[in-house]
Every structure is written in C-alpha cells, then in structure tokens.
Amino acid sequence: MRYDQHTVVLLAQPSDAPQLPPEAFDRLHAAHLAHQAGLVEQDLVLAAGPFVNADDERLRGFVVLSVHPDMARELFHNDPAVRAGLLEVRVMSWMVPEGIIRFEGVPVPRSMLESAAGD
C-alpha cells in the first residue's frame, strides 16, 4: 500500500502557561489567528481548527501542513501565542493511505471577530 505523509501540529496549553488579563489574552489570540491565516495564505496549511470537548483540555488545536516537520516547528515557534508561552507545539508526521484524504481550500478566520461571526 502507498501512503501520503502530512505534517501534523498539535497545539497544547502548557501546564505553566502564564495567566494573562483578558485584554492581553485576546490580543495574543488575535495575533495567533492572524499568524495561522498567514500560513494558509502561503498555501502551507491544509487544514486547521480548534478542539472542543476534548478529554484532555490542554489540547487546543490541530493543524495539517504541507511542509516538512522541521519547517512546521520553525513556523509555529514564530506563532505569537507560542512565543508568549500560551501554547506549546507538538509536531509529528501522519501517514494515511494514498488518496484517502483530499483537502479543499477553506479559509480560516483571521481574527476573533471573524471566528465569532460564523460565516
């Protein structure tokens, strides 16, 4: 069997994440969304989104990328929420049977306002 290989980034909240005032948290969250949208615009992200109702609430989001794992580490270590210690990055390769998954060009929100709008 042939396999397609993708890079997966899990974004998790570290146990020692800083406690920020709501305004500072909102600014970092907005910067995180803008960073991720920039990666989408560069055609590096195949799929991305937050987790809800996870058994492990530290797991915050999932990103599938079209780049080598080392490049994914570099890209996400530049994420403002990662640099601030709100998120940590876990990178791995994901192999699936060739052709079983097809990614469509779906936009991601660039801001919390777009995210809340649900459009």
Side-chain angles (χ1 to χ4, degrees):
M1 178 174 286
R2 298 173 78 119
Y3 290 89
D4 290 328
Q5 184 170 325
H6 303 288
T7 298
V8 170
V9 172
L10 292 178
L11 296 169
Q13 182 180 26
S15 58
D16 61 349
Q19 298 298 312
L20 300 175
E23 306 81 34
F25 177 84
D26 289 347
R27 280 193 304 274
L28 275 172
H29 188 232
H32 161 72
L33 291 176
H35 176 266
Q36 191 152 282
L39 299 178
V40 170
E41 290 170 0
Q42 295 174 60
D43 291 326
L44 304 176
V45 173
L46 300 172
F51 290 122
V52 294
N53 302 320
D55 287 341
D56 183 345
E57 291 188 13
R58 293 172 298 170
L59 295 176
R60 309 304 297 157
F62 178 84
V63 186
V64 181
L65 296 115
S66 62
V67 300
H68 188 274
D70 292 337
M71 174 62 89
R73 283 182 190 88
E74 182 178 329
L75 293 169
F76 277 88
H77 281 106
N78 289 322
D79 184 313
V82 173
R83 287 195 324 250
L86 290 179
L87 294 173
E88 64 185 11
V89 177
R90 300 175 188 170
V91 178
M92 62 209 72
S93 294
W94 180 41
M95 295 178 62
V96 295
E98 186 177 58
I100 197 166
I101 296 177
R102 195 173 99 204
F103 296 98
E104 299 291 332
V106 178
V108 297
R110 292 194 58 83
S111 68
M112 292 187 313
L113 183 62
E114 281 184 19
S115 182
D119 293 338

